[in-house]
Each structure stands twice: as C-alpha cells, then as structure tokens.
Amino acid sequence: MEYRTLGKTGLQVSILGFGASPLGDEFRKTDPAEGVRAVHCAIDHGVNFFDVSPYYGRTLAEMRLGIALEGRRDKVILATKCGRYDAARFDFSVDRLYRSIDESLARLRTDHVDLLQLHDIEFGDFRQIVEEALPALRKIQQSGKARYVGITALPLKILRVVASAADVDTILSYCRYNLMITDLDDLLTPLCQERNIGLINASPLHMGILTERGAPAWHPAPQQVKDGGRRVVEACRRHGADVSAVSLRYCLNHPYVATTLVGMADPEHTLINLKVLDMEIPPALMAEIALAVAPVKDIIWASGNPINNDCDATPLTAQAGRA
Ligand code: NAD
C-alpha cells in the first residue's frame, strides 16, 4: 500500500480509502457480517482511511462501522461528518453540531474521530458555514473529539468560496474526478495545492455508474451520463477488463489527491479494489474510453441551494457577496 500526506494535517493516509456509505445499505441491502469482513480485509491489507457519516443509512453505517472497528480503532484514520441527517434534513447550527459529534462517537465506539467534516455544505448558507459551523468544528477540535476539520460538497464553487474565506484542513469532493469527469483539476485542485489542503476524491465509480450493475435508482445524473457510463462498461468488456477496476485505477493515478474513497461493503469487492493497486490501464482501452465519454464529459447535475451551485452562472465573487 502507498501512503500520502493529507495536506496540512500531516496524516499519512492510504491512497485507497474505504467509503462506508454502502455499509448503511445506500446502494442495496447488504449483509452486516460481510460488511465487518470487508472492513477487516481492508485493514489487513493496509487501508487506513475510513469515511462515514450519520447520514449514510440514517446512522446505520456509523453503527456497523463502529462494530467492525472494535479492537482495531488504533489502526485507522477515521473520518465522519455532521450537518446532514436525511435526504432533505440539514442542520449546521452550533448546538446540532455539538450534539452530532457526541452521537457519532457513541455509534462509532470511540472517544475521537480523526477528521470531522461538514457534510454537503451546498445545502447550507455560506455565512452560517463560515461564521458558525466551521468555528464550532474548531471548538470540537479543541475539546479533543476531532483532530482535524473539513468540508464536503458536490459543487466545486461553494467548496472554493468557503476554503478561500475560512481555514479548512481537508476537502472531500465527489463525482468530480473519474473517467466521466475531470473538472476537479480545473476548479479545485490548484487551490488545495496552494493552501496545502488535504484533498479527498470520492466516488471513483461515479456512484455506481461505472460498475457492471449500473447506477442505483436514486442516482441524480442525467440519463445521457448513465448511457455514457454503459458505453464505458462495453469498451472495458471488449478489452476483457473490469470497468470498476479500470475506473478506480484511473483515480488512483491522480498526482495530488491523497486518498480515493471507494464504497465497499463486501470482501469480494474489497479484494478486487486492492488488486487494482498493482494494475495498469492499457493505452488502447484508455483511448476507447475517451471516445465513449466524449459526448458527455464533465456533465454535472445540480445539488443544493441554487446560489451554491456550479449550474448557477453568477460569478464566484458576486456569489460570495450575495451569500
Ligand atoms: P462509488 O463510486 O465508490 O461506488 C460505490 C458502489 O460501487 C457501491 O455499490 C459498491 O458496492 C460498488 N463497488 C465498489 N467496488 C466495486 C467493484 N470492485 N466492482 C463492482 N462494484 C463495486 O460511490 P460512493 O460509495 O458514493 O463513494 C465512495 C465513498 O465516498 C462513500 O462511501 C462515502 O464514504 C464518500 N462520499 C462522500 C460524499 C460526501 O461527503 N458528500 C459523497 C459521495 C461519496
């Protein structure tokens, strides 16, 4: 396993990170015992970065991960989140965040997390995120319940605005850097490099689009993106390659991202994903994938408050002022 420094935190994280949302049955019903085995298998093979949230499975993923980490907590760098509790239930108020960390620690069966992130800040208000929520996370950090603080979102614009206005240790971006889309590098990576912010890239399989099984029913991407994903699956099949392995490998090749989070809930996928560490993508396949993706490359969907969205054409500076 290769380890990289997670920006200014100095934490040494495995380049392959364990995304725990599938443990909360976000993609399909999973077997809890398989989930525990997946976590143990990952740890045994050197994966040390685990990411979860109270939102995943509405606390189920945190509970299952807490059980799986019993006796192994010291082997992992544990990240959870706060502020998002259901599809349409957000609360970035100070009181809720203080309660949230205590609830997460109880479910995760630990006295601290290594990283506490504001979950999906595009659904919040810019001023509340910068003036209330992030200072609250710093207070939680001072109390010893979290070692570092970060933010997550789908739109890159709000991540950029907040990371420019406030001090954050890490940014988790998802569905902005994989075979279907690479605008992370135009819109966010340079700022992270400049400010030494640890960059976490999530959803290398585009939340299931780049798998044989395909996207889950709730996937918000437009149909044309899902169709583009099927063309990638077919290109991989023609080359006798596993689309998920190829997609993950592509993300692992990123030079600045410290860790790539792939969602896992069974040992079979965990082992396949571990094997990807020793794999290379044949250039001929890469060329075919580029052709398959070209008509839908870099298409993103709306998420959160319109003012915080990449789909809102208002210039960034005006957005910050308006927020
Ligand atoms: P993903 O792109 O990692 O896809 C996960 C899906 O792919 C699951 O159904 C999983 O079972 C399946 N899968 C995994 N390995 C596979 C393999 N080898 N072959 C076939 N299928 C495979 O999407 P994700 O889970 O949403 O993202 C990864 C993690 O990143 C999440 O679990 C979460 O921890 C984090 N994340 C955070 C945010 C946020 O903070 N807003 C958003 C998205 C993801």
Side-chain angles (χ1 to χ4, degrees), residues 8 130 134 138 149-150 162-170 195 197:
K8 64 181 93 162
V130 169
L134 279 168
R138 289 294 179 198
V149 309
V162 169
S164 302
D167 179 30
V168 298
D169 301 324
T170 65
R195 298 193 167 217
I197 295 170

Side-chain angles (χ1 to χ4, degrees), residues 21-32 34-35 60 64 213 216 218 265-266:
S21 71
L23 291 182
D25 291 354
E26 287 288 346
F27 290 82
R28 65 191 164 93
K29 202 157 174 42
T30 61
D31 174 356
E34 291 268 287
L60 183 62
R64 287 181 170 172
R213 189 182 279 126
W218 51 258
D266 62 71

Side-chain angles (χ1 to χ4, degrees), residues 128 148 191 211 252 298 318:
Q128 187 185 31
Y148 299 101
L191 179 79
T211 63
L252 292 173
D298 286 347

Side-chain angles (χ1 to χ4, degrees), residues 19-22 27-28 51-52 56 81 119-120 152 172 174 202-208 211 213 242 244 261-264 269 272-273:
S21 71
F27 290 82
R28 65 191 164 93
D51 175 76
V52 70
Y56 300 150
K81 313 195 185 85
H119 196 169
D120 292 344
T152 85
L172 185 160
Y174 73 100
S203 308
L205 314 184
H206 223 34
M207 296 196 303
T211 63
R213 189 182 279 126
D242 171 9
S244 301
L261 283 173
V262 61
M264 295 180 267
H269 282 160
I272 292 171
N273 295 339

